[in-house]
Amino acid sequence: MTHPMPQPDATSHNPAVADDPETTGARFVIETWPAVIDPGAEIVMTAYVAPDEAMTLFHAAVLFRDSDGAEIGRARLVDAPGGALRSEPVERVAPDNPGTHGFVAVMEGPEGEELGRQDFTVTVAAHPIAVSVWDVPSVVTGGAEFRIALGLKCPCGCDARGWTFRIADATGREAARGQVGTEPWPGTASLYYATIALTAPAEVGRHDWTVTALIPDHATPHAERSQTLHLNVQPAPEVTLRIIAVDALTGAPVPRARVLAHPYRAVTDAEGQAVLRLPKGRFTVFVSGAPYFAFKSEGEIVQDMVLSAQMHLERE
């Protein structure tokens, strides 16, 4: 009687096959998922076995070992479609070092005897580079200079100090290039950062620029990664709106209240005040912050003005 080989499902990848019963005692397939894995990510390994008619493997197990021979997982064989057997999935953390890594799966009988083995490989991708962008103004004036902060980090722990970045506009034209510094962002261990001045596009509207971490000259291979920088370009401001947020009952200033006159944003200071520089036009102004109801005021702003936001406590 001939047992059919198990058919890998659509998500299976990277099969390693041994077809010679003289060598393995059974046809033996090892599948790993995903086919290419990020360093330190989780990889799943499964063994499929089509036993020959002279062997009974229902009580066998599969032992997985790394290239140094250390055991990294063990799973029993269970029934699979078509009369074959499969192991329960074994999960482990992929190596941090990019490249091809060798493993071996050993099929063991009930008494620990070796019934077959299969060498297989796992491909680990180059280290990713995490790109972070912050302190981006909610609005930038067309053609004016503005500043942002950006950081680069290798999640696998490589030293990212001095790594290079490139900023390109929506057409792909380079807008800036630079390097992160030698000190990490406060409160982090390995997020190296830079602040950089950029010139906004002249055209009003949304512009999507790209911040790219260039592949560093590093002993460990890294992959180029990017982050989108969203810019909201508006006309030059013409008037100043000063908001004063106070408790409606006590008259005390309300600090840290959020002020929105879309798309312009601000936060009140310790005195409950915030300033927005706006083009002339009609705006709806919202002032919000727990434990108060949101304050709303709508109207035309054509000159400098002061808006008093009376904040009422929200009560159940």
Side-chain angles (χ1 to χ4, degrees), residues 39 50 56 166 203 265 311:
T56 302
R166 176 182 182 268
E203 182 181 355
R265 301 173 184 271
M311 308 294 289

Side-chain angles (χ1 to χ4, degrees), residues 292-304:
Y292 298 96
F293 283 108
F295 170 89
K296 176 182 177 181
S297 178
E298 185 175 1
E300 196 83 16
I301 302 177
V302 296
Q303 61 184 5
D304 295 349

Side-chain angles (χ1 to χ4, degrees), residues 107-126:
M107 186 163 50
E108 291 186 344
E111 305 300 324
E113 69 276 22
E114 182 175 320
L115 302 177
R117 67 171 48 223
Q118 175 61 59
D119 294 324
F120 64 100
T121 59
V122 169
T123 300
V124 178

